[in-house]
Amino acid sequence: MNKNLRYDVAIMSSIIFILNIEAIVYMRTHKNKAIENVVLASNAYSIGGICHTSGFCVFFGLLYSISPHLALLYLGLPCLLCFVAVMIAPGCPYVWKGLCNKVQGLRDWWEHVNRPQSVS
């Protein structure tokens, strides 16, 4: 890999890491403030989703240019599942609720099957 590319990726990762920590600290220290403008918050949520999706697409494109195998198999498929769960499912609450109920039913069934049986 090119030395300059490694340096740029390391610097970018450090900056993103610092920004994430700063955002978490800010949210934890300012949690008592309520959202007053609901329309503005909804618009901000939509724009944030679009920005995160486009940023991931740019990152995925750069990763694909370095290694198609790594991008498609190790990052593409798990992130696609996460994308569907996080970005699309909350927009369809009935589908999301049905999926959660099915997962809970499978979890209950699995606990029933794995429960120790009493021998008398």
Side-chain angles (χ1 to χ4, degrees):
M1 192 187 308
N2 189 356
K3 181 180 177 183
N4 292 332
L5 180 63
R6 283 188 283 178
Y7 179 72
D8 290 343
V9 169
I11 293 295
M12 191 182 314
S13 297
S14 301
I15 290 171
I16 291 172
F17 187 68
I18 291 169
L19 287 175
N20 282 334
I21 291 174
E22 182 181 344
I24 291 169
V25 168
Y26 179 80
M27 285 186 286
R28 288 192 180 261
T29 57
H30 293 86
K31 64 183 173 184
N32 58 356
K33 295 187 178 186
I35 296 174
E36 297 173 3
N37 191 346
V38 179
V39 176
L40 184 63
S42 175
N43 292 340
Y45 177 77
S46 301
I47 291 171
I50 291 169
C51 291
H52 278 90
T53 304
S54 61
F56 176 72
C57 290
V58 168
F59 171 71
F60 190 71
L62 291 172
L63 188 62
Y64 185 79
S65 66
I66 294 171
S67 171
H69 182 69
L70 175 70
L72 293 177
L73 292 179
Y74 296 120
L75 186 71
L77 293 177
C79 288
L80 179 65
L81 293 174
C82 181
F83 176 78
V84 169
V86 172
M87 299 298 280
I88 296 174
C92 308
Y94 298 110
V95 173
W96 185 250
K97 185 176 180 182
L99 181 63
C100 289
N101 289 338
K102 287 190 184 277
V103 169
Q104 185 62 40
L106 285 172
R107 186 178 297 140
D108 293 341
W109 176 79
W110 190 250
E111 287 177 0
H112 173 71
V113 168
N114 288 330
R115 188 174 51 209
Q117 301 293 326
S118 62
V119 178
S120 49

